[in-house]
Amino acid sequence: MVGRVRDSNDVINGQNIGMPNVAFGLSGPVEATTATDAAGTFMFRGLPPGRYQLTTLPVGYTVSPGGNTIVITGSNSRNNDFTIGLTTPSVSTVNPASALVNSAASPGANSTSAPTEITVQGTNFTPPTTFTGNIFTGNINKFTTGSVVLFAASQVPTTVVNPTLLTASIDPSLLVTTGSVQVRVRNLGPSGDFIDSAPLTFIVGTAPPALTSVTGQPSPIIAGGVTSPFTVTVNGSGFTPATQVRVNFQGRPTTYLNQNQVVGTVLPSDVTIAGFIPITVQNPNSVDSTPFQLAVLYPIPVVTDVSPSSLAAQVALNAQPVQVTIAGSNFAQNPNNLLDTATVLVNGTPVVTQYVSSTQLAALIPAGLVATPGVLQVTVTNPQPNLAPSNAVPLFVSNPLPAITAVDAGLVSWNPNSPANDFFNQPVVITGNNFSPAAVAWVNLPCDTLGFRKAVSTVRNSSTQIIATIPIRCAGTYSIEIQNPQPGGGLSAPVSLMVKGTS
């Protein structure tokens, strides 16, 4: 099966340039993945006849068509071609949203001042990738795809952290004139094509007023839990009737009280996402003040169920982690860092957690935490900042039922000419599984009717081996059991040990 992926634009050499590194998945009689080469060509070899579903797995692009159903009979399937288009990035915040004018530098000149680092949040960001030519179209020029930040008309050094977060460095030579600058994110295509986000305004300005504190905010502020605007009092110095309070670098209704106080309004839309929301003040033509970080907390998670609700104690030394599913509500995931999610804790110890949804988590509990019978407390904590962990739900750990597979006492035998009431102690190697640390061996002698009694001693070497010392008082069939203590546990099925008599 062969095909090509090309850019929908024909900017270079009047042709649609082939796109490298576009992933494909194939399902059907054979499950496989591949990616396009430097020419934009992909190939699946050695496929048996049958019906296949070919699916594109692009990152940062739209692909047409989205997938194909292909039937292979006795020949190759060719010309399975696709075209890509750029996805439009969006920008929600730029932090900081202002910088002091750099009057010492001139446009285009080198400066000894450090660059201004900004963080941009949004969507549809992809890491820049440089390719060194494309033999399919005859294009021998380098080209770069991915997301970059535009500061006014200048492309600035950009690092894509994840699809919703990037950082950029603004050279001091770009900060020589006071005023507003438009900041955009541009997604670059392989043919020199691009698509820009809507702009946000960045201020290059003079020294700001001073912000010392913010008071009057409700406490706590839970993300998504505020339904009406509230006001905060901003304290500092250098305020004028034109001073504006900004929340997340967006201007908000402001009331001037005096040169040391202004009152600003925080909207419900400002506090829908958990995190630290910057509150600043700004005078005309000034940059933002040092921000006050308003804590917007993740809600308290609620745990309703742990499945399974009980586990067998993991008594083996090489026991694997145990997976459990946690059901509930308010399980959170940081939208700016998808790896920062609600975490499951077992007796206060964080365990590996997979975020499934706001109502479900999957956790891997290390075997060491469930090696001893008892009751474990399972809780969930949301990412920081959070208000509190969830309620605790019990997870019961019980001893497993032991099983004996073999007993070995060597060439043990009994001399029938031994004196009355004579005996000797014989070590017996007991092999099996699920022997708990407190397992006890029991033995039933054929010489009397007293039934099972504890072995003289029980030494557990591992979950699969015990050495028990039992009394030998006569020839015959001895029955041996292993008992794991409660909770759970119980007696294994008895296994026979034959002691022969000697003449």
Side-chain angles (χ1 to χ4, degrees):
M1 186 183 300
V2 181
R4 295 188 179 95
V5 179
R6 302 178 182 178
D7 191 1
S8 57
N9 293 276
D10 56 2
V11 178
I12 297 179
N13 298 338
Q15 302 182 59
N16 301 102
I17 191 169
M19 184 61 192
N21 296 341
V22 177
F24 282 85
L26 187 69
S27 59
V30 171
E31 305 283 334
T33 57
T34 191
T36 54
D37 60 18
T41 302
F42 68 91
M43 181 180 300
F44 293 95
R45 298 179 182 272
L47 300 178
R51 180 181 294 272
Y52 292 87
Q53 183 66 35
L54 179 63
T55 305
T56 59
L57 306 170
V59 177
Y61 301 98
T62 60
V63 177
S64 180
N68 284 338
T69 299
I70 301 168
V71 177
I72 293 180
T73 55
S75 60
N76 295 329
S77 176
R78 301 181 182 274
N79 301 318
N80 298 292
D81 295 342
F82 297 79
T83 58
I84 66 166
L86 294 171
T87 56
T88 304
S90 68
V91 176
S92 57
T93 63
V94 175
N95 185 2
S98 61
L100 285 172
V101 65
N102 184 31
S103 58
S106 59
N110 293 326
S111 171
T112 57
S113 301
T116 297
E117 303 294 331
I118 63 172
T119 298
V120 181
Q121 294 181 350
T123 59
N124 294 332
F125 303 155
T126 57
T129 303
T130 299
F131 301 98
T132 56
N134 191 303
I135 59 173
F136 173 65
T137 62
N139 169 42
I140 59 174
N141 299 315
K142 290 185 177 182
F143 61 88
T144 299
T145 64
S147 301
V148 294
V149 170
L150 293 182
F151 189 81
S154 299
Q155 181 176 312
V156 298
T158 303
T159 299
V160 177
V161 180
N162 60 49
T164 64
L165 185 70
L166 54 79
T167 60
S169 297
I170 302 173
D171 190 86
S173 63
L174 299 176
L175 304 172
V176 297
T177 305
T178 59
S180 299
V181 178
Q182 300 298 303
V183 175
R184 295 177 173 86
V185 172
R186 171 172 290 177
N187 280 353
L188 302 171
S191 297
D193 50 327
F194 60 84
I195 190 167
D196 290 347
S197 70
L200 287 183
T201 299
F202 187 95
I203 301 297
V204 181
T206 57
L211 185 157
T212 57
S213 65
V214 173
T215 59
Q217 63 270 31
S219 181
I221 301 174
I222 304 299
V226 176
T227 58
S228 58
F230 61 89
T231 59
V232 294
T233 299
V234 180
N235 305 294
S237 61
F239 301 157
T240 74
T243 297
Q244 186 177 50
V245 173
R246 285 160 49 97
V247 180
N248 217 5
F249 306 108
Q250 302 296 316
R252 293 293 178 255
T254 304
T255 300
Y256 173 77
L257 298 181
N258 55 56
Q259 66 178 358
N260 300 116
Q261 278 190 331
V262 290
V263 175
T265 300
V266 179
L267 305 178
S269 59
D270 294 328
V271 290
T272 57
I273 298 176
F276 293 97
I277 309 302
I279 295 179
T280 58
V281 284
Q282 188 181 61
N283 287 337
N285 298 320
S286 84
V287 301
D288 285 288
S289 67
T290 300
F292 170 85
Q293 301 294 347
L294 181 69
V296 179
L297 308 180
Y298 286 100
I300 299 176
V302 177
V303 178
T304 57
D305 181 67
V306 177
S307 179
S309 59
S310 62
L311 300 171
Q314 302 300 294
V315 296
L317 290 176
N318 61 347
Q320 299 301 302
V322 179
Q323 180 169 323
V324 297
T325 299
I326 316 297
S329 59
N330 291 337
F331 301 155
Q333 182 178 44
N334 185 340
N336 299 315
N337 180 1
L338 300 183
L339 298 179
D340 187 18
T341 68
T343 301
V344 175
L345 296 91
V346 178
N347 279 0
T349 300
V351 300
V352 175
T353 304
Q354 178 187 6
Y355 182 85
V356 180
S357 70
S358 63
T359 60
Q360 184 176 327
L361 303 171
L364 281 178
I365 303 178
L369 292 180
V370 288
T372 304
V375 180
L376 303 177
Q377 300 297 319
V378 178
T379 57
V380 172
T381 183
N382 274 333
Q384 294 292 341
N386 63 54
L387 186 58
S390 73
N391 57 301
V393 173
L395 176 62
F396 298 93
V397 180
S398 301
N399 270 318
L401 185 68
I404 300 175
T405 57
V407 294
D408 184 4
L411 300 177
V412 62
S413 61
W414 174 259
N415 185 349
N417 297 319
S418 299
N421 298 322
D422 195 14
F423 73 96
F424 62 90
N425 291 329
Q426 175 64 36
V428 179
V429 178
I430 304 170
T431 304
N433 52 65
N434 292 335
F435 300 156
S436 76
V440 175
W442 293 75
V443 61
N444 186 14
L445 280 61
C447 319
D448 57 43
T449 59
L450 298 178
F452 280 92
R453 70 219 66 182
K454 283 187 178 181
V456 175
S457 66
T458 302
V459 177
R460 176 186 180 269
N461 289 335
S462 69
S463 64
T464 60
Q465 187 184 80
I466 283 176
I467 298 179
T469 301
I470 65 172
I472 303 297
R473 296 184 180 275
C474 61
T477 301
Y478 290 67
S479 292
I480 296 176
E481 297 175 336
I482 296 296
Q483 180 188 34
N484 282 346
Q486 298 221 19
L491 284 167
S492 70
V495 173
S496 297
L497 172 67
M498 177 62 66
V499 177
K500 296 181 179 181
T502 59
S503 57

